[in-house]
Amino acid sequence: MTLEDVRALGAAIEAEVAKAVVGQAEAVRLLTVAILSGGHVLLEGAPGTAKTLLAQSFARTLGLDFGRIQFTPDLMPGDIVGASLFNFQTSAFQLTRGPVFTELLLADEINRTPPKTQAALLEAMQERAVTIDGKTEKLSDRFTVVATQNPIEQQGVYPLPEAQLDRFLFKLAIAYPDEAAERAIVAQYGTRTGSPHPQDSGVERVADGAALSGACAAVLGVRLADEVVAYIVALIRATRDHADLAHGASPRAASALAAAARAAAALTGRDYVIPDDVKLLAAPLLRHRVVLSPAAEIDGRRADDIVAQIIDRVEAPR
């Protein structure tokens, strides 16, 4: 697959998802960047902002097997990865696979379940494998987690620890739509109640597994100049020295930013990364990887504002 094919694929994905999800083109682009660079995505937004529909539509356009877990306080790790159950007909233990054995997994309201269950996803997200009764079971090479959480209601929730947040490539803030987009939503979905389905809006598949693998291979060929590598490292290191940040981003964040920038460049048809690719991805990639200082929290500072400051201060290569 050529880079022009990757650009066309990205445009086709955006056009198909837009049939069902109104006004979320940027989120669709970042989801595409994530899957092309092998990353996972955390969606944060109020209920009713189409987070579930966005994940369903995106999976449908790529022909990915879709699974969903509704996280609750009583959910156990075995409910996610599966367990070996005794089969009385064969007098032997038989593996019963959990919903994690899919290609795109929607982890709905991931902060509703205790840390023990949240941690069951760690190995799956990092290794694309799970361990059940001492045996390692491989997941799909295309396994991707799209997790959601509600930022409004904070009673009875278990905030994700930094180690698990770091496994997400992006944290996307799904805001309320503007007035024009909301009118379009009401016009499209105001005839019925209940959850809409992508197929009802005419969302079609635009790629298969072979096309997705070809696109990922094409991304690996995108060049990353030494000057851009130095710029990425300078941005990450600047987060560790900022007065408003108690903890900055790790070297893993620098590597993730480089990989995501390659995918973003490929989606424009370019075979090289430019500093603007890095700048556009910095906020969604870093906002969940930095920790505000107590003084910054008291002042009401936001991680996005501090990342924007760092981008302005660090000189980009020409």
Side-chain angles (χ1 to χ4, degrees), residues 143-218:
F143 175 73
T144 302
V145 174
V146 176
T148 72
Q149 63 180 15
N150 175 7
I152 299 174
E153 190 176 2
Q154 296 299 326
Q155 291 184 345
V157 300
Y158 304 85
L160 294 174
E162 283 74 12
Q164 187 162 355
L165 282 173
D166 199 40
R167 262 64 176 188
F168 288 99
L169 179 65
F170 295 133
K171 179 182 177 181
L172 307 186
I174 306 298
Y176 287 120
D178 58 32
E179 184 177 355
E182 195 158 5
R183 287 180 179 179
I185 292 169
V186 173
Q188 182 171 349
Y189 295 111
T191 58
R192 60 187 184 276
T193 59
S195 300
H197 300 286
Q199 58 269 29
D200 296 337
S201 299
V203 177
E204 299 292 343
R205 188 175 73 175
V206 297
D208 55 14
L212 184 55
S213 297
C216 292

Side-chain angles (χ1 to χ4, degrees), residues 222-225 228 232 258 261-263 265 270-278:
V222 174
R223 292 181 286 113
L224 195 65
V228 179
I232 291 172
R262 277 190 164 103
R270 275 186 283 106
D271 65 348
Y272 57 92
V273 176
I274 61 176
D276 283 348
D277 296 325
V278 178

Side-chain angles (χ1 to χ4, degrees), residues 84-318:
S84 294
L85 303 178
F86 189 76
N87 188 327
F88 288 95
Q89 294 181 340
T90 61
S91 297
F93 282 94
Q94 180 176 336
L95 175 63
T96 300
R97 295 186 168 190
V100 76
F101 287 89
T102 188
E103 291 180 323
L104 193 146
L105 176 68
L106 176 63
D108 217 352
E109 295 197 80
I110 191 172
N111 57 338
R112 286 286 176 195
T113 201
K116 180 179 180 180
T117 305
Q118 292 173 356
L121 277 179
L122 278 176
E123 183 185 10
M125 293 172 65
Q126 187 69 18
E127 306 293 339
R128 286 181 167 80
V130 294
T131 301
I132 303 174
D133 292 340
K135 295 182 179 179
T136 300
E137 301 287 340
K138 289 291 186 181
L139 301 176
S140 168
D141 292 337
R142 293 186 290 274
F143 175 73
T144 302
V145 174
V146 176
T148 72
Q149 63 180 15
N150 175 7
I152 299 174
E153 190 176 2
Q154 296 299 326
Q155 291 184 345
V157 300
Y158 304 85
L160 294 174
E162 283 74 12
Q164 187 162 355
L165 282 173
D166 199 40
R167 262 64 176 188
F168 288 99
L169 179 65
F170 295 133
K171 179 182 177 181
L172 307 186
I174 306 298
Y176 287 120
D178 58 32
E179 184 177 355
E182 195 158 5
R183 287 180 179 179
I185 292 169
V186 173
Q188 182 171 349
Y189 295 111
T191 58
R192 60 187 184 276
T193 59
S195 300
H197 300 286
Q199 58 269 29
D200 296 337
S201 299
V203 177
E204 299 292 343
R205 188 175 73 175
V206 297
D208 55 14
L212 184 55
S213 297
C216 292
V219 168
L220 295 177
V222 174
R223 292 181 286 113
L224 195 65
D226 291 342
E227 295 82 359
V228 179
V229 171
Y231 178 57
I232 291 172
V233 172
L235 285 175
I236 298 302
R237 292 181 69 86
T239 65
R240 303 170 197 162
D241 301 326
H242 199 286
D244 288 333
L245 295 179
H247 298 284
S250 67
R252 179 189 292 158
S255 298
L257 185 53
R262 277 190 164 103
L267 287 173
T268 65
R270 275 186 283 106
D271 65 348
Y272 57 92
V273 176
I274 61 176
D276 283 348
D277 296 325
V278 178
K279 292 179 181 179
L280 290 173
L281 299 175
L285 190 137
L286 292 175
R287 62 167 59 111
H288 58 295
R289 288 184 163 97
V290 297
V291 179
L292 295 176
S293 67
E297 289 187 351
I298 292 172
D299 291 342
R301 305 292 300 278
R302 298 188 313 145
D304 285 10
D305 297 332
I306 297 171
V307 171
Q309 280 185 5
I310 292 172
I311 292 173
D312 289 339
R313 291 178 185 177
V314 177
E315 185 177 356
R318 297 182 182 275

Side-chain angles (χ1 to χ4, degrees), residues 25-115:
E26 179 68 10
V28 175
R29 186 183 74 86
L30 292 174
L31 279 170
T32 307
V33 169
I35 202 163
L36 291 181
S37 53
H40 309 284
V41 177
L42 178 63
L43 304 178
E44 185 174 84
T49 49
K51 299 186 296 296
T52 299
L53 182 61
L54 174 62
Q56 290 175 327
S57 302
F58 184 75
R60 184 174 176 83
T61 61
L62 290 174
L64 299 174
D65 291 335
F66 180 80
R68 179 180 179 181
I69 302 174
Q70 185 67 46
F71 281 81
T72 57
D74 60 346
L75 199 70
M76 298 297 291
D79 298 327
I80 296 176
V81 300
S84 294
L85 303 178
F86 189 76
N87 188 327
F88 288 95
Q89 294 181 340
T90 61
S91 297
F93 282 94
Q94 180 176 336
L95 175 63
T96 300
R97 295 186 168 190
V100 76
F101 287 89
T102 188
E103 291 180 323
L104 193 146
L105 176 68
L106 176 63
D108 217 352
E109 295 197 80
I110 191 172
N111 57 338
R112 286 286 176 195
T113 201

